[in-house]
Amino acid sequence: MEPKGIPLISGFSKLTRKERIEILNKLINQNEDLLPWLDSWMHPDAGQQATFQKFSENYITSFHIPFGVVPNMVINGRHYMVPMVIEESSVIAAAARSAKFWSCRGGFRAEILGTERKGQIHLTWSGHPQRLRDRFEGLTQDMLAATALTTRKMKERGGGITGIRLVDKTAAIPGYYQVDVSFETADAMGANFINTCLEEMAAVLERELSHYQEEGKVEIIMSILSNYTPGSLIRCSVECDIQELSGISGKLSPEEFARKFELASRIAGVDVSRAVTHNKGIYNGVDAVVLATGNDWRAVEACGHAFASAGGSYSSLSEAKISGNRFSYTLNLPIALGTVGGLTKSHPQAALALSILGNPGAGELMMIAAAAGLANNFSAVTALITSGIQQGHMKMHLPNILKQLNATPQEEQSIRAHFEGKQVSHAAVELFVNNLRNQHG
Ligand code: MEV
């Protein structure tokens, strides 16, 4: 059956950019040619533009997202300006509020609990499991030797393959096994390095086991890194005397604030619907740093959400505690980042983000991203248990509403004056603008 909509296209990637845009023009029935408008979002410098458009196939233009910085982020006694790339208007403001608050209360304390990366060779074996175990024992050295050239440079940087084991998964799928390989990748994300090593090892396994057809048949299904990296873990926390929370507790006493905060944290610990939103607030900060520094935020998110479910049901990644007169808030974040390779240097703005951070190593960047996540999460929960989220959120969202309503500079001035200290909502601003426009004919 023919799919609905426009006819299927073959060879789209072979078309020139102009030809692709002509197709889009027809698709959206635009009277005006999209081309000059799309051109206006491209980089004016031809060299820079060439760099950006190489990042993806079927390029038509660049998509802009704000790049901002969060000042006053004190992590392990050091002051950072943290770059963030994010489209949600309140995220940087929320992180900055939290960063400033904690900067005079000891700052964020972060530690690296591990930096292990993982990869897997997925295979089937038709013979007796013991035969495979015996053969595998004898083959591990050959498999490692096959990666010698690939791992040489990584070893010089302190990385390499740190473990290799055969995992029997036949209870889940008959005949299914995994070779589980652990890696250290120094400051690199290491995706290409890991995948190359795995494919080199899988080739040895396939070749050597095929000599023992009478014992069983081997089939390599796939070799790929795992984005689940619970062994690459950051713990980040903030802590202060409960009385010191008065700076942020609004109308609540510091004790009431701490009690309500701890309860909000427990709710996120036991209820999946709340936990997902709570963790989304963490990833507001984490993703913004990950994106700014040219890292893979899909991998970071996928890993974090799996980790949040490791106890059997999805739960919160952060936890508040009250112990005597002390309030603490801790985030355990599995995160694998790199500061060399990938986009980290080839994207000029990612390179700038890293230099704003003082060109950290991967572990340091992981701690910074975790601190940003905790900062955003702390601000979000603080707002939720005090003023409510909409007051601050809608205030930050006001420019978007003004744009949607095509407000003139004079109207903007009147709107800002009118809504000072008042609850902002799209409906209320629209009503106010309509009244203004009716008054002025
Ligand atoms: C909005 O981007 C994030 C929050 O929903 C997080 C939360 O509810 O904790 C405010």
Side-chain angles (χ1 to χ4, degrees):
M1 199 175 77
E2 268 292 301
K4 293 193 179 118
I6 61 162
L8 295 180
I9 301 164
S10 65
F12 190 73
S13 66
K14 309 269 180 326
L15 300 179
T16 64
R17 175 173 168 267
K18 218 169 153 214
E19 288 165 335
R20 282 182 221 132
I21 293 171
E22 270 162 27
I23 293 179
L24 294 179
N25 264 332
K26 284 191 198 124
L27 175 68
I28 58 175
N29 287 325
Q30 177 108 351
N31 290 334
E32 271 172 59
D33 185 8
L34 270 178
L35 183 64
W37 188 80
L38 290 173
D39 282 349
S40 72
W41 298 105
M42 287 163 62
H43 204 287
D45 179 280
Q48 298 278 30
Q49 177 53 34
T51 305
F52 284 113
Q53 68 188 51
K54 273 193 210 115
F55 291 145
S56 174
E57 179 125 314
N58 293 349
Y59 179 89
I60 56 165
T61 191
S62 294
F63 189 99
H64 292 239
I65 297 183
F67 180 141
V69 281
V70 176
N72 304 317
M73 212 53 193
V74 176
I75 307 167
N76 295 337
R78 178 175 168 182
H79 175 200
Y80 292 91
M81 296 276 278
V82 178
M84 282 190 170
V85 169
I86 182 90
E87 88 297 349
E88 190 175 328
S89 44
S90 53
V91 168
I92 291 191
R97 206 174 314 121
S98 198
K100 183 142 191 242
F101 177 79
W102 287 108
S103 66
C104 19
R105 289 163 182 80
F108 293 80
R109 254 156 277 166
E111 56 181 320
I112 304 168
L113 302 184
T115 52
E116 181 186 68
R117 316 278 154 110
K118 285 275 187 187
Q120 298 169 309
I121 302 168
H122 302 270
L123 65 134
T124 57
W125 167 254
S126 64
H128 193 280
Q130 192 55 44
R131 291 281 77 74
L132 180 62
R133 279 195 284 272
D134 294 343
R135 295 291 167 208
F136 181 77
E137 281 287 296
L139 283 176
T140 50
Q141 283 317 315
D142 292 349
M143 289 165 74
L144 290 174
T147 66
L149 191 63
T150 311
T151 51
R152 190 169 55 86
K153 281 226 170 79
M154 188 56 89
K155 278 184 183 156
E156 282 165 18
R157 290 192 267 146
I161 296 172
T162 55
I164 170 167
R165 70 192 176 108
L166 181 71
V167 186
D168 185 333
K169 301 288 284 183
T170 53
I173 300 177
Y176 168 42
Y177 299 81
Q178 292 170 354
V179 179
D180 179 281
V181 190
S182 310
F183 297 84
E184 286 293 336
T185 57
D187 287 331
M189 228 307 260
N192 287 332
F193 165 72
I194 293 175
N195 289 336
T196 305
C197 288
L198 291 170
E199 287 183 7
E200 286 166 345
M201 292 164 105
V204 172
L205 204 58
E206 187 170 41
R207 188 186 65 230
E208 295 303 316
L209 287 177
S210 68
H211 297 147
Y212 303 98
Q213 301 264 359
E214 70 290 352
E215 292 181 4
K217 273 210 179 77
V218 66
E219 185 181 15
I220 304 295
I221 307 299
M222 57 191 161
S223 306
I224 184 74
L225 65 79
S226 170
N227 287 123
Y228 187 50
T229 52
S232 197
L233 192 64
I234 301 295
R235 177 169 298 151
C236 181
S237 58
V238 284
E239 190 178 338
C240 69
D241 283 347
I242 289 179
Q243 284 69 32
E244 290 184 86
L245 294 167
S246 64
I248 210 151
S249 60
K251 290 188 184 126
L252 300 176
S253 72
E255 290 76 15
E256 282 169 328
F257 175 89
R259 181 191 56 78
K260 240 180 136 179
F261 198 111
E262 195 253 357
L263 202 50
S265 153
R266 272 166 50 203
I267 291 168
V270 297
D271 179 71
V272 62
S273 294
R274 175 57 203 148
V276 169
T277 318
H278 180 97
N279 289 344
K280 189 272 182 185
I282 294 171
Y283 282 102
N284 274 343
V286 174
D287 285 355
V289 174
V290 172
L291 186 51
T293 56
N295 275 276
D296 181 344
W297 80 98
R298 286 89 57 212
V300 166
E301 283 252 2
C303 175
H305 296 302
F307 187 77
S309 313
S313 62
Y314 188 93
S315 180
S316 149
L317 291 167
S318 58
E319 191 184 12
K321 279 215 171 95
I322 296 173
S323 170
N325 185 36
R326 299 288 286 171
F327 168 87
S328 66
Y329 199 36
T330 302
L331 167 66
N332 281 313
L333 187 77
I335 182 165
L337 299 180
T339 53
V340 298
L343 280 197
T344 57
K345 295 288 185 297
S346 57
H347 192 299
Q349 289 169 307
L352 173 73
L354 286 166
S355 69
I356 291 172
L357 290 171
N359 291 315
E364 190 179 349
L365 180 62
M366 282 149 58
M367 291 194 282
I368 295 166
L374 190 63
N376 269 103
N377 181 223
F378 179 78
S379 268
V381 177
T382 297
L384 289 170
I385 63 163
T386 56
S387 57
I389 205 71
Q390 285 308 82
Q391 187 175 305
H393 188 78
M394 291 311 287
K395 202 167 147 200
M396 297 302 301
H397 191 54
L398 185 58
N400 299 341
I401 301 175
L402 295 175
K403 176 126 184 50
Q404 281 164 26
L405 297 174
N406 290 322
T408 63
Q410 288 90 329
E411 286 172 342
E412 178 171 343
Q413 217 175 6
S414 312
I415 294 165
R416 285 194 184 279
H418 176 81
F419 283 95
E420 186 63 48
K422 289 200 190 79
Q423 183 82 11
V424 174
S425 74
H426 194 288
V429 177
E430 190 169 23
L431 183 67
F432 184 79
V433 170
N434 286 341
N435 285 340
L436 265 184
R437 289 175 183 168
N438 286 340
Q439 273 167 29
H440 298 105

